[in-house]
Amino acid sequence: MRKKSREMGADWALEVMDKAPYITASMADGDGMPYSVPLSLARTDEKTFYFHCATEGKKLDILREKPRVCLTAVSKCKPTVGPKDGSFTLEFKSAIAFGKAEIVADDNEKREALRAICQRFLPNHMDAFDAAVARSMSRTAVVRITLTEPPVGKRKQYDANGDEMKYGRME
């Protein structure tokens, strides 16, 4: 990271990922062509994320051959004018993580992963979860991404006095 003063720790980065409306997963195909797709991921512990998709498609083809992924998330992004110098800038909270993807074969793990995804995105509709899973389990793939190193967060944020909050300073 070029600006170490904006670096934030793993717990902070995981919180950014938990609050982001989606997380972008980037990978490279067999020819080295980059492929990046925004996904609805749910985290079940400090290093395990899940997403669901159709049982066939480009991302699954790539992940079968090359399972390494990079996850990126932004949970706050606000264009602003620098309070002290008038520069055009951007306040943000972001996170990046690297991991290995694996298509889940075990039905119990698939069901629990789908439950975590539903709990994150539709917590008020969990009463419909069992019926939805019964209808769609056979045509749904679930992918587990296990982080291979702790995630890193980065932010640019100003305090009430217009000073940039550096070195992990919190309010």
Side-chain angles (χ1 to χ4, degrees), residues 45-108:
D45 61 35
E46 288 74 28
K47 62 181 184 176
T48 309
F49 290 82
Y50 290 96
F51 71 87
H52 74 293
C53 58
T55 57
E56 56 186 46
K58 184 171 184 162
K59 72 179 155 293
L60 290 181
D61 293 343
I62 292 171
L63 292 174
R64 283 184 188 99
E65 186 177 343
K66 292 190 166 206
R68 291 178 48 188
V69 298
C70 175
L71 302 177
T72 57
V74 178
S75 66
K76 175 185 178 184
C77 186
K78 182 176 97 176
T80 190
V81 175
K84 299 257 176 163
D85 64 5
S87 62
F88 289 9
T89 191
L90 190 69
E91 285 189 297
F92 62 87
K93 293 180 180 181
S94 65
I96 187 169
F98 297 92
K100 183 178 178 185
E102 185 176 3
I103 299 166
V104 175
D106 179 75
D107 281 348
N108 289 329

Side-chain angles (χ1 to χ4, degrees), residues 7-9 12 15 93 155 157 159 165-171:
E7 185 172 342
M8 302 295 285
W12 189 91
E15 185 177 322
K93 293 180 180 181
R155 71 154 185 210
Q157 184 176 346
D159 65 16
M165 294 170 52
K166 294 187 176 185
Y167 308 107
R169 193 182 110 209
M170 304 303 286
E171 282 198 345

